Amino acid sequence: MSDKHIERSADPASQKMIKKAEEENIKIAWDRYDAMQPQCGFGELGICCKICNMGPCRIDPFGEGSQTGICGASKDTIVARNLARMITGGAAAHSDHGRDIAHALILAAKGEAHDYALKGTDKLRRLAKVYGITVEGKSIEKIAEELGEACLAEFGQQHGELRMLSLAPQRRQELWRKLGVSPRGVDREIVEMMHRTHIGVDNDYKNIINHGLRVALGDGWGGSMIATELSDVLFGSPEPIRATVNLGVLKEDHVNIVVHGHEPTLSDVVTDAVKDKELIDLAKKYGAKGINLVGMCCTANEILMRHGLPSAGNFLQQELAILTGAVELMMVDVQCIMPALSSVANSFHTKLVTTSPKCIFPGVEHIQFHEEKALEIAKKIIRMGVENYKNRTKQRVNIPPEIKGLVAGFTTENTFRILGGKYRFTVRPLNDAIISGRLRGAAGVVGCNNPNIRHDWAHIEMVKELIKNDILVVQTGCSAIACAKEGLLTPESAFEYAGEGLREVCEAVGIPPVLHVGSCVDNSRILLILSSVVAEGGLGDDISDLPVAGAAPEWMSEKAVSIGFYFVASGVYTVFGTPQPVIGSENVTNYITNELENVIGGKFAFEADPIKAARMMIEHINKKRAALKLAGVMYEKTANAKA
Ligand code: SF4
Ligand code: MSK
């Protein structure tokens, strides 16, 4: 047997399941990745186009053959259009998630979705103010209904600006206006991008990418922010909470139900459904000790943040969970759900159930979710899982023992409270720690897994290097799960991994050096934290002045591209592991990795080595510190990290 399993993942639990797949000849993502080699060079460089039926066209990267498409589109145009459509796909996915949450909020407010309560009333009032909704004399339900409708209207809005843009620093808002990139409506910018990139429309690569910034801002400060903020209204804002992570959260003597995908509307109700006595009794009747509900990917993050439920793992572990032979049912909603799940599930007793009309798998049981009957549907699905327990083949059960503790549930609001103390609701201590040099700065490390990089390795190495250099790290999505599995998301990890300054801050306020702020749409929380830090004063008057950086070291989805672009458009230097498919155009590559900084204050870099990438982020943070004329960093660590 080869050492492939060790090369493929840095996570011992995943290594065991990869090995099991090899032994049982079950093909998983890494095998399909190997079978795909060599991958299409034209696609990788971004220089193929199939936008119209005169094509497909491709540019000869060696400059000898065709240098334009049949319509005359240059490589710059083709690369920019492909990239723009990636941003648009990601923004559409995030925003449609936000739309569904707004819809659920309205139904709950009107009393048509009885299984939801309006738990976040403080946030409801704060958001009502942002949306200009008067609250005096109105019931909570009425305010929630008006807020839901106001958010929903922003998707199709044709004029003006999205309301949440007003939460960005003043200087940033003015820059967006000056550049003409303030999104008017979420859907409007998405549709316009599809128009601009149709055959025979926009062929100025800068103009195409500039509209990409607008689309992405409509995601970060629009669709995603609506998803996050309205989820807090509906399900309550998360609070720091201890939980566990990795495949070891599956239990041999329980019925194991995995919820996977992104939207919390069904999964949140499932957390209630599994407490149903009748279902627990049924599980016991079949010989199980109870029902064990765990999450996967961002659905995991949603129920982890709000309920402390365990996470079985991140993107590349979805097939591995089934390979344990201990999963009775995997329930999926939307996004990041591999079509391969149905064939892996067919190799075991696992039942796969789809729940969204937007995400149907051929031959897989579909139980459509309706907010109006949420609990009833959740119980029906759980019952299917419980009844499937008897079909488990005990000899095939092999749950890796790896399990780690973590603290999750940080938000913009509770970060204020934790840092400021009970009586001072402020991020002042964070600003002061950066100004004094106790902290060098902060970084967001987010995004997916990708079999083109050793699973979890880049996330873990990058984050360790950053915290060692006194950089407070905030995380979302699969990146947060990767580092949680390494034990980095506990207050105790500060003693082992953090630099002296960061350790002092963590000790003083009792936080981990790596803060888990949620799922992919919750990257919007990072935007609001950055705006709050600017508003607090002493670190410039725009996000682009702050000593901060972002990264997606193992990215794979279009959503990651949209997230990257809305951070860059908000003024943040952002490093991606593997390059976006732009390398085929020197002009586009130079524009987004260099020139864009002078336009909008943020830019991209591509670096696959996570340590080198972390050093680039540290250098950028040092550059920003110098521009702010801040004191040197108190505890200097690396040779090339000068403040
Ligand atoms: Fe080819 Fe132009 Fe059609 Fe693209 S739009 S497929 S480059 S002819
Ligand atoms: S789930 S988008 S693999 S982070 Fe949000 Fe993970 Fe990336 Fe999906």
Side-chain angles (χ1 to χ4, degrees), residues 71-88:
C71 67
S74 67
K75 60 184 174 184
D76 298 338
T77 304
I78 290 174
V79 167
R81 282 196 308 219
N82 288 337
L83 179 66
R85 287 193 167 195
M86 283 189 95
I87 300 170
T88 306

Side-chain angles (χ1 to χ4, degrees), residues 261-262 297-298 315 336 447-449 477-479 519-520 556-557 559-560:
H262 277 76
C297 278
C298 277
F315 178 67
C336 304
C448 326
N449 303 130
C478 292
S479 185
S519 65
C520 294
M556 64 87 199
S557 71
K559 291 182 292 171

Side-chain angles (χ1 to χ4, degrees), residues 166-454:
S166 66
L167 301 174
Q170 204 57 43
R171 205 178 99 200
R172 182 110 314 246
Q173 293 181 48
E174 281 157 19
L175 178 65
W176 288 337
R177 266 178 223 128
K178 193 176 123 213
L179 296 172
V181 297
S182 311
R184 295 155 288 191
V186 178
D187 295 353
R188 163 151 201 184
E189 309 309 350
I190 289 171
V191 169
E192 185 172 318
M193 185 57 99
M194 294 310 285
H195 177 194
R196 280 173 184 242
T197 54
H198 185 274
I199 158 82
V201 192
D202 207 346
N203 56 93
D204 178 324
Y205 69 92
K206 289 188 183 174
N207 205 42
I208 294 169
I209 290 168
N210 287 355
H211 189 70
L213 298 170
R214 198 174 200 178
V215 174
L217 287 169
D219 172 0
W221 296 86
S224 277
M225 204 169 273
I226 288 172
T228 296
E229 300 296 288
L230 297 193
S231 290
D232 284 355
V233 172
L234 200 50
F235 309 116
S237 288
E239 285 296 331
I241 191 164
R242 281 199 181 261
T244 49
V245 65
N246 214 346
L247 293 170
V249 302
L250 295 167
K251 293 182 181 168
E252 194 160 351
D253 51 9
H254 278 62
V255 171
N256 289 302
I257 310 272
V258 181
V259 284
H260 172 27
H262 277 76
E263 291 182 359
T265 33
L266 176 57
S267 56
D268 204 89
V269 176
V270 171
T271 62
D272 286 331
V274 290
K275 294 176 195 146
D276 183 86
K277 187 168 176 321
E278 199 194 317
L279 289 172
I280 295 170
D281 287 346
L282 189 63
K284 287 182 178 159
K285 196 182 113 192
Y286 288 122
K289 285 201 173 138
I291 305 169
N292 182 35
L293 178 67
V294 304
M296 176 66 65
C297 278
C298 277
T299 298
N301 289 325
E302 297 281 357
I303 57 172
L304 169 75
M305 296 271 286
R306 294 198 174 83
H307 302 281
L309 282 165
S311 162
N314 50 12
F315 178 67
L316 278 178
Q317 288 181 286
Q318 54 189 289
E319 294 171 282
L320 307 184
I322 296 176
L323 269 146
T324 63
V327 174
E328 272 56 57
L329 186 138
M330 185 180 275
M331 173 190 357
V332 300
D333 49 54
V334 289
Q335 299 172 18
C336 304
I337 304 150
M338 289 190 195
L341 281 185
S342 58
S343 68
V344 181
N346 281 342
S347 305
F348 291 85
H349 74 301
T350 307
K351 259 192 183 305
L352 185 64
V353 176
T354 57
T355 57
S356 166
K358 297 170 198 166
C359 181
I360 299 286
F361 282 47
V364 166
E365 177 135 15
H366 179 73
I367 299 182
Q368 183 121 350
F369 174 63
H370 298 283
E371 288 86 352
E372 296 88 338
K373 293 184 189 160
L375 190 61
E376 186 187 320
I377 293 164
K379 283 186 186 169
K380 182 176 170 187
I381 299 172
I382 301 292
R383 180 180 291 273
M384 282 172 63
V386 171
E387 282 173 352
N388 196 26
Y389 184 72
K390 59 180 182 300
N391 298 322
R392 191 194 273 190
T393 310
K394 289 209 169 64
Q395 300 81 331
R396 289 190 83 194
V397 173
N398 180 359
I399 302 173
E402 283 78 10
I403 186 165
K404 275 273 163 44
L406 78 152
V407 180
F410 293 93
T411 62
T412 321
E413 296 79 12
N414 66 36
T415 308
F416 272 85
R417 211 184 52 238
I418 294 161
L419 290 169
K422 199 171 167 191
Y423 303 104
R424 267 178 85 221
F425 198 69
T426 170
V427 285
R428 190 73 248 161
L430 177 61
N431 287 35
D432 286 345
I434 294 173
I435 291 166
S436 68
R438 183 159 275 119
L439 285 185
R440 186 185 303 271
V445 182
V446 307
C448 326
N449 303 130
N450 186 329
N452 69 9
I453 302 175
R454 189 174 180 226

Side-chain angles (χ1 to χ4, degrees), residues 48-59 68-74 78 81 197-200:
C48 54
C49 181
K50 54 180 179 56
I51 277 174
C52 88
N53 196 34
M54 290 191 282
C57 301
R58 59 188 194 188
I59 305 292
T68 67
I70 294 166
C71 67
S74 67
I78 290 174
R81 282 196 308 219
T197 54
H198 185 274
I199 158 82

